[in-house]
Amino acid sequence: MMTVDEIFAEDLRNPPPERSLPWQETRDGITVVVEPKPHWAVDMRVFRLGSRDYCRYADWLAEGDRTRFYGHIDTSGDDLMMKARAMIAREIADGYWG
């Protein structure tokens, strides 16, 4: 049976546009969590790890620590990672990962 960490590590082997789970990136001393792109979205979103701020992934790639982040009403990078890890843990418990 695969672990949550193994599933996240396997997903990281895909190029960013093809990933289905969030991942962390650090640039210029700032750590963010990248939210995978839903099929209907133009770009992925990046959330600061410890605060409820976000920006577009293209801006993060181009500007790094100079990127303008916008306030988000209810999501931080921590929240995003915890929800994804909990979802995978439930799927493992339900036998969806072998």
Side-chain angles (χ1 to χ4, degrees), residues 15-80:
E18 296 174 16
R19 293 179 186 164
S20 59
L21 297 170
W23 69 94
Q24 290 186 10
E25 289 186 8
T26 301
R27 294 183 63 198
D28 306 318
I30 298 174
T31 301
V32 299
V33 175
V34 182
E35 179 182 47
K37 181 177 112 32
H39 70 281
W40 48 264
V42 174
D43 194 9
M44 294 180 276
R45 293 187 301 178
V46 173
F47 290 86
R48 285 188 191 243
L49 190 59
S51 64
R52 290 186 164 93
D53 299 316
Y54 77 101
C55 69
R56 293 182 333 121
Y57 188 62
D59 294 340
W60 170 251
L61 290 178
E63 303 294 330
D65 68 342
R66 294 172 293 156
T67 302
R68 180 173 181 190
F69 284 83
Y70 302 91
H72 194 278
I73 193 164
D74 65 1
T75 303
S76 70
D78 286 331
D79 298 334
L80 195 60

